[in-house]
Amino acid sequence: MASQDWFEKDFYKVLGVEKDVSEAELKKTFRKLARKYHPDSNPGDSAAEARFKEVSEAYEVLSDADKRREYDQIRAMGAGARFQAGPGGPGAANFEDLFGGLFGQGGQPGGYSYRTSGPQGASYEDLFGGLFGGGAQSGFGAQPGGFGGPRRGADQRAQTTLNFMTAIRGDTIDLQAGDGRVITVRIPAGVKDGQKIRLRGKGAPSPSGGEPGDLILEVTVRPHPVFHRDGDNIRVEVPITFAEAVKGATIEVPTIDGGTVRVKVPPHSQSGKTLRVRGRGVETKKSKGDLLVELAVTVPNRLTREQEQALDAFIAASPAESPRDDLMREARQS
């Protein structure tokens, strides 16, 4: 972004937020505006497209802690300063006016030390590095990213929503950038809900032939009706019958790769008991999770006459005790 923009544009006003806005509120406000003015929602509306680019530019700066701090310092220290035509001819920056406004004194050639700390502890070396696109040097020669050198393109932010299995397995998807570009990106296997992925070189092109910026992609993952993510583990609740819980059994359980795995249920298993199947969870470059099988004992909706009679005999043969005795005793303890 050109330094002149940072003097002239009030990004807080563009987004309609206060200067002390929190990161969460900033994101919420941007998403609301982005949905309202996105070109897909306003086909052929050039005003809406311009407004979308404007709020995207403001959010790109204010959502980055370093850029926001630098922007606030420049706005606070350089209020009223402008680049004007100077002795170098039309379009040249009048550094005497600029430095005089910033430092509160007349500009003299060679009279400034960029290590001096300014208001609120700001380093003028850091400040001018931000203004001119690179770190301050002794003099204003052409430096990579500074005067006469190519500047890196701006980082951009985007959001995408994936279904559960796509997030687990990874995939290649197409995204539309705010400037209309279609970007093909690779989603790595095992990405989590809310995770931010930095995609190198997928951001805005450089305005001066340098490297493109990065794309910061925030991922939302839709829930699955059967599987639930628990870190790199996958949880699945599996119903078992009363007989299977009491006597034990070997059952089949679904897995995220579309197959099944056989799991042994121990005798006398209770609802909520969790069995672990090693290595059948989420696989990433760094680790491989497990499959966590949570048992849920089910009760029949109807019983045959023979089952009723057998149940009555079972109850008659059972000892006169309650499974809630320990609960009641512990509840009465002070």
Side-chain angles (χ1 to χ4, degrees):
M1 176 180 297
S3 58
Q4 184 71 26
D5 290 342
W6 286 30
F7 282 110
E8 295 180 346
K9 294 185 179 180
D10 188 341
F11 291 141
Y12 294 101
K13 186 176 180 180
V14 168
L15 295 175
V17 297
E18 299 295 330
K19 286 193 65 176
D20 60 352
V21 63
S22 67
E23 182 179 351
E25 186 62 28
L26 183 70
K27 181 185 294 186
K28 180 180 178 181
T29 300
F30 169 69
R31 286 182 172 178
K32 181 179 179 180
L33 293 173
R35 284 194 298 268
K36 180 178 180 181
Y37 294 110
H38 196 283
D40 290 347
S41 303
N42 303 273
D45 189 337
S46 58
E49 182 178 355
R51 178 68 172 139
F52 177 77
K53 291 181 179 179
E54 187 180 32
V55 299
S56 297
E57 179 187 35
Y59 181 72
E60 193 273 329
V61 173
L62 297 184
S63 62
D64 185 299
D66 292 335
K67 290 182 180 179
R68 181 174 175 176
R69 181 167 54 252
E70 187 178 9
Y71 170 75
D72 288 342
Q73 290 174 349
I74 290 174
R75 292 276 295 179
M77 296 170 60
R82 292 291 183 271
F83 292 108
Q84 301 174 0
N94 186 329
F95 291 107
E96 180 178 349
D97 293 341
L98 175 60
F99 291 168
L102 287 175
F103 298 111
Q105 57 184 337
Q108 300 294 335
Y112 302 107
S113 171
Y114 307 126
R115 286 295 181 184
T116 303
S117 291
Q120 301 176 355
S123 164
Y124 291 126
E125 179 180 76
D126 295 338
L127 174 61
F128 291 127
L131 281 175
F132 303 125
Q137 307 291 332
S138 55
F140 291 94
Q143 300 292 337
F147 286 124
R151 291 193 295 119
R152 182 178 177 275
D155 290 346
Q156 294 182 324
R157 296 178 183 271
Q159 297 88 32
T160 189
T161 299
L162 307 175
N163 66 47
F164 188 86
M165 288 304 180
T166 299
I168 294 295
R169 299 167 183 164
D171 199 1
T172 299
I173 64 173
D174 289 335
L175 299 173
Q176 184 171 9
D179 56 10
R181 293 180 300 132
V182 176
I183 306 171
T184 300
V185 300
R186 174 66 185 174
I187 302 296
V191 66
K192 299 178 182 178
D193 182 54
Q195 183 174 340
K196 293 180 180 179
I197 306 171
R198 179 177 289 272
L199 301 165
R200 301 289 181 185
K202 297 293 186 178
S206 166
S208 54
E211 296 181 357
D214 299 338
L215 179 67
I216 306 346
L217 181 63
E218 183 174 352
V219 176
T220 298
V221 180
R222 297 189 186 97
H224 193 276
V226 172
F227 300 110
H228 306 278
R229 184 94 179 246
D230 183 359
D232 285 339
N233 299 323
I234 293 293
R235 284 190 173 273
V236 57
E237 185 180 274
V238 179
I240 59 174
T241 66
F242 174 76
E244 289 171 333
V246 174
K247 302 290 288 184
T250 298
I251 61 174
E252 281 193 333
V253 175
T255 56
I256 55 173
D257 60 5
T260 61
V261 62
R262 294 176 66 81
V263 176
K264 186 174 183 179
V265 177
H268 311 296
S269 292
Q270 305 291 333
S271 281
K273 183 178 181 62
T274 300
L275 309 175
R276 184 182 296 268
V277 183
R278 300 285 181 184
R280 300 304 291 266
V282 180
E283 183 174 3
T284 66
K285 290 183 178 179
K286 297 181 179 179
S287 64
K288 193 170 187 178
D290 301 330
L291 178 65
L292 305 179
V293 180
E294 185 174 336
L295 303 179
V297 180
T298 60
V299 177
N301 293 324
R302 293 186 301 274
L303 296 176
T304 64
R305 177 175 297 181
E306 290 78 7
Q307 289 173 321
E308 290 275 8
Q309 292 173 349
L311 180 59
D312 290 340
F314 173 79
I315 295 172
S318 300
E321 61 182 17
S322 170
R324 294 172 294 279
D325 288 342
D326 289 343
L327 174 69
M328 297 301 182
R329 182 169 52 255
E330 292 176 1
R332 289 190 290 265
Q333 292 179 356
S334 57

